[in-house]
Amino acid sequence: MVYRFCLWSIIGLLTTMLPYGKVQAQGQEGEIEDVEIEIIKEREITLPRAIRNFEKVPPNPVEPPEKNLSFKFKNFTYNGKDPQLRLRPLRLKEDKLSKTYGNLVKAGFGNFLTPYLEAFVNNKRSKEYSYGAHFKHLSSARGPVDGKNSSTGETNVSVFAKAFTPNAIVGGTLQYDKRNVNFYGYPEGLTVEKDTIEQSFGRFQVRGTMTGNKDDARLKYHLRAGLDFLSDTFEARENEFSAAFEASYELGESTDARLESEVALITRKDVLIDNNRTLFKLKPSVGFTYEGFELRAGINAVFENDTLGKAGKLHLYPVAQASYPVASALTVYAGIEGDIDKRTLNNLSMENPFLQPDVPVFHSNKTFSFFGGIQGKLTEKLAYNTGFSASNYKNMYFYINSTENTSKFDIVYETGNTALFNYFAEAIISEGNQLNFTVRGDFYGYNTANLIEAWHKPSYKLALLASSNVFDKILLSGDIYLIGGIEALNVTENEQRKLPAAADINVKAEYLISDQVSTFLAFKNILSSNYELLNNYEVKGFQAMLGFTYIF
């Protein structure tokens, strides 16, 4: 490398000297002489041997840091504005709510000069409250016996309101009912003026309720209270204050405790009657469930001050009920209970409006009732229930015609024991809104201690109810009732009379013209049978009504 560098340096030096030699030769005469340059390479460059030190350099000593360290912190405060974050959550498309109609008006007219008008007024969809009103009028200027002498009329007016809170549902109802009937069960051929046989009932009701609204609450309750006022043409007056409380508390996953209580204070004033009646019930019980088996047991303590009979005022009844699902489609159940069945002039006059003034009214004592049966589902659309009950009553009530006026009824009581056996069976078929079918049969057996017969109590009842929706355009409904085995007493001749079986077939068809307008045609008692459920009182025969419905 070194000798090559020296060689190239000499060549470069000679190259720079060539022009200068040419200029001098031009200043002289003659030609440039040839010059021969000889380069001799004899020099050898040598470098001294380097000295290498392989000893490791020792590290410099490091002094350990002091253990006591001190830090100084400086507080720093940032007074900037709170950040304003604007989030845009993903919004799902809401399902379109179907339009709701809160009001409905129905009107019609039928034979027997029968006008019909009914109206419902309700608020629209709300999660916080609901309120509304109802009005109904149905009357017939003529009836089955002597035209206007067997006329009837009924008018009902009610308003309600309900509030939904996170903890409870609170509601109330005001209702007034007016019912007009005539005592048309007088002997055939007798001339009677209508104004001498009129009877009118006025009923006013006030109701209030409160129900717990928490599904996950261990304590569930329901409270109701009400006032009932009754008056009639014959100066009868009855006032009742009633209240009931029901509560259940979960003791564990499979046990709960329940308390049911009721109080009724009844005051009645009639032409010959002025009394106060008290009824108080308290029924605690405990329930238990295990692998489908359910058991509830308790006691029913009832206090009442009715004076009929020699029984004490305090009654204690056992309460027990058990059920077990033998199979997925079959559940067996059985139980025993006892109670005081409340009777008032109000509910008895609704059952039989042809009572004479000053009828005696007492509660019925159900000393015990044993019941059992099976129920279940054969398919998702077919359910069934069949069973029986065997009961014993004291002070069971029955109706007989008055000896003073056979068009009116007295109430007689069996102060001894009345055994009642009931067997029933029912089946329900449901196809949603397209088809619904229910059939039920009840068979009764009475055994009275002192009375000859269980007057005006049927020995069997059969009912068939059906409804269908044809192409969402035609609504069909119908029912068939068969009631028989009623025994009555002909007080005029002191003879027993068995009333003919009552068969009643009713059909109704409604055609939907639009979502808001429809028309209907109804037929009642198609067989036109003037059957009797009460002795001497025939019902109206074939009835037809044409009307319309408007929703808005």
Side-chain angles (χ1 to χ4, degrees):
M1 291 292 296
V2 178
Y3 73 88
R4 288 182 181 180
F5 175 77
C6 295
L7 177 60
W8 284 104
S9 298
I10 295 172
I11 293 172
L13 179 60
L14 293 177
T15 303
T16 55
M17 293 177 62
L18 286 177
Y20 179 74
K22 186 177 181 180
V23 175
Q24 286 182 344
Q26 290 178 354
Q28 297 177 0
E29 295 182 358
E31 294 179 1
I32 298 175
E33 297 180 357
D34 295 332
V35 178
E36 184 177 352
I37 301 173
E38 183 179 2
I39 299 174
I40 301 173
K41 181 182 175 184
E42 295 180 351
R43 186 180 178 104
E44 182 180 357
I45 300 174
T46 59
L47 297 176
R49 181 180 298 273
I51 299 175
R52 298 183 180 181
N53 191 354
F54 293 98
E55 295 181 2
K56 293 183 179 180
V57 179
N60 296 326
V62 179
E63 295 182 0
E66 297 181 1
K67 293 183 179 180
N68 296 329
L69 301 177
S70 61
F71 300 91
K72 292 183 179 181
F73 296 95
K74 218 173 176 184
N75 293 330
F76 177 75
T77 303
Y78 175 70
N79 295 324
K81 295 182 179 180
D82 294 335
Q84 301 294 328
L85 300 178
R86 296 184 178 181
L87 301 179
R88 298 184 63 184
L90 178 63
R91 299 186 63 180
L92 299 177
K93 186 178 180 180
E94 297 181 356
D95 294 335
K96 187 177 181 180
L97 297 177
S98 59
K99 186 176 182 179
T100 59
Y101 301 97
N103 310 315
L104 179 147
V105 175
K106 298 181 70 174
F109 192 83
N111 61 335
F112 293 100
L113 297 178
T114 303
Y116 164 66
L117 178 63
E118 188 170 12
F120 296 87
V121 179
N122 299 277
N123 67 309
K124 297 296 180 65
R125 186 183 289 114
S126 174
K127 296 181 180 180
E128 298 177 354
Y129 55 83
S130 67
Y131 60 86
H134 174 235
F135 171 83
K136 179 183 179 181
H137 174 80
L138 178 64
S139 62
S140 295
R142 303 180 64 83
V145 177
D146 294 339
K148 62 181 181 180
N149 279 9
S150 54
S151 62
T152 60
E154 185 175 356
T155 302
N156 314 106
V157 181
S158 63
V159 295
F160 74 91
K162 188 176 291 186
F164 306 95
T165 68
N167 297 323
I169 301 175
V170 183
T173 304
L174 296 176
Q175 181 172 335
Y176 176 75
D177 299 326
K178 183 75 172 179
R179 185 179 184 184
N180 300 319
V181 297
N182 296 314
F183 294 101
Y184 65 90
Y186 48 80
E188 186 178 357
L190 184 65
T191 301
V192 177
E193 296 296 329
K194 180 178 181 297
D195 57 357
T196 63
I197 58 174
E198 293 178 343
Q199 169 67 298
S200 177
F201 296 96
R203 295 180 174 89
F204 181 72
Q205 299 177 351
V206 182
R207 293 283 188 273
T209 60
M210 177 182 292
T211 306
N213 196 28
K214 286 188 175 182
D215 294 335
D216 57 348
R218 300 183 67 180
L219 176 64
K220 294 179 173 59
Y221 66 90
H222 175 72
L223 174 65
R224 58 179 174 85
L227 294 171
D228 290 79
F229 304 93
L230 170 70
S231 62
D232 72 355
T233 303
F234 298 94
E235 300 182 358
R237 302 291 184 270
E238 185 181 67
N239 304 326
E240 179 187 358
F241 168 78
S242 61
F245 178 74
E246 300 176 6
S248 62
Y249 184 78
E250 295 182 3
L251 300 175
E253 294 183 359
S254 59
T255 57
D256 70 280
R258 183 180 299 176
L259 177 64
E260 302 174 45
S261 62
E262 181 181 357
V263 60
L265 307 176
I266 306 167
T267 301
R268 179 185 172 193
K269 291 184 179 181
D270 216 321
V271 177
L272 302 176
I273 296 177
D274 186 357
N275 61 14
N276 297 318
R277 305 163 64 207
T278 302
L279 178 65
F280 178 73
K281 300 181 181 181
L282 189 66
K283 184 166 67 173
S285 62
V286 177
F288 170 77
T289 60
Y290 178 74
E291 294 185 353
F293 176 75
E294 296 184 6
L295 174 66
R296 178 166 296 279
I299 189 170
N300 186 15
V302 183
F303 172 85
E304 49 89 17
N305 64 347
D306 273 3
T307 57
L308 185 64
K310 298 180 180 179
K313 297 181 178 181
L314 180 63
H315 310 272
L316 299 177
Y317 308 97
V319 176
Q321 183 174 353
S323 64
Y324 181 72
V326 178
S328 60
L330 189 150
T331 298
V332 179
Y333 63 90
I336 186 172
E337 64 179 4
D339 203 355
I340 293 291
D341 292 342
K342 183 175 65 174
R343 309 296 180 196
T344 65
L345 181 62
N346 194 353
N347 56 40
L348 290 177
S349 62
M350 285 190 288
E351 181 178 280
N352 184 353
F354 307 108
L355 298 176
Q356 71 170 359
D358 298 303
V359 291
V361 178
F362 299 98
H363 304 309
S364 296
N365 182 5
K366 183 168 61 176
T367 57
F368 80 88
S369 178
F370 175 74
F371 58 92
I374 59 175
Q375 62 182 3
K377 275 188 173 185
L378 295 180
T379 66
E380 289 296 325
K381 301 174 182 179
L382 175 60
Y384 66 92
N385 185 15
T386 181
F388 74 95
S389 66
S391 308
N392 184 74
Y393 284 86
K394 289 184 179 295
N395 303 337
M396 173 66 81
Y397 71 98
F398 304 93
Y399 298 121
I400 62 171
N401 295 88
S402 172
T403 56
E404 299 176 358
N405 187 344
T406 57
S407 65
K408 299 178 182 179
F409 288 88
D410 271 329
I411 299 178
V412 294
Y413 292 88
E414 174 58 85
T415 56
N417 293 323
T418 299
L420 171 60
F421 180 84
N422 169 228
Y423 172 76
F424 69 92
E426 64 178 347
I428 300 174
I429 299 176
S430 179
E431 288 277 359
N433 294 328
Q434 302 302 317
L435 176 65
N436 289 280
F437 182 87
T438 302
V439 59
R440 179 183 172 104
D442 284 89
F443 302 91
Y444 304 94
Y446 290 88
N447 186 10
T448 54
N450 302 313
L451 298 178
I452 300 175
E453 287 289 346
W455 306 116
H456 281 97
K457 299 293 184 181
S459 59
Y460 63 88
K461 291 181 180 180
L462 297 176
L464 186 152
L465 309 175
S467 64
S468 177
N469 186 341
V470 182
F471 305 119
D472 293 329
K473 201 68 177 178
I474 301 176
L475 305 180
L476 301 176
S477 62
D479 51 71
I480 300 175
Y481 295 96
L482 184 62
I483 303 175
I486 298 177
E487 298 286 345
L489 179 64
N490 186 342
V491 295
T492 303
E493 301 178 2
N494 196 24
E495 292 181 353
Q496 184 174 334
R497 180 197 177 201
K498 188 172 185 177
L499 303 184
D504 199 337
I505 301 176
N506 310 305
V507 176
K508 180 181 179 181
E510 185 171 4
Y511 178 72
L512 304 180
I513 301 174
S514 67
D515 291 339
Q516 296 179 255
V517 181
S518 65
T519 181
F520 66 87
L521 181 62
F523 301 102
K524 292 185 177 181
N525 197 0
I526 293 178
L527 299 179
S528 191
S529 173
N530 295 110
Y531 57 83
E532 301 174 39
L533 296 178
L534 296 170
N535 190 34
N536 298 332
Y537 279 88
E538 296 181 355
V539 303
K540 289 182 288 188
F542 175 77
Q543 304 163 56
M545 177 175 287
L546 177 65
F548 73 94
T549 301
Y550 177 61
I551 302 174
F552 60 99

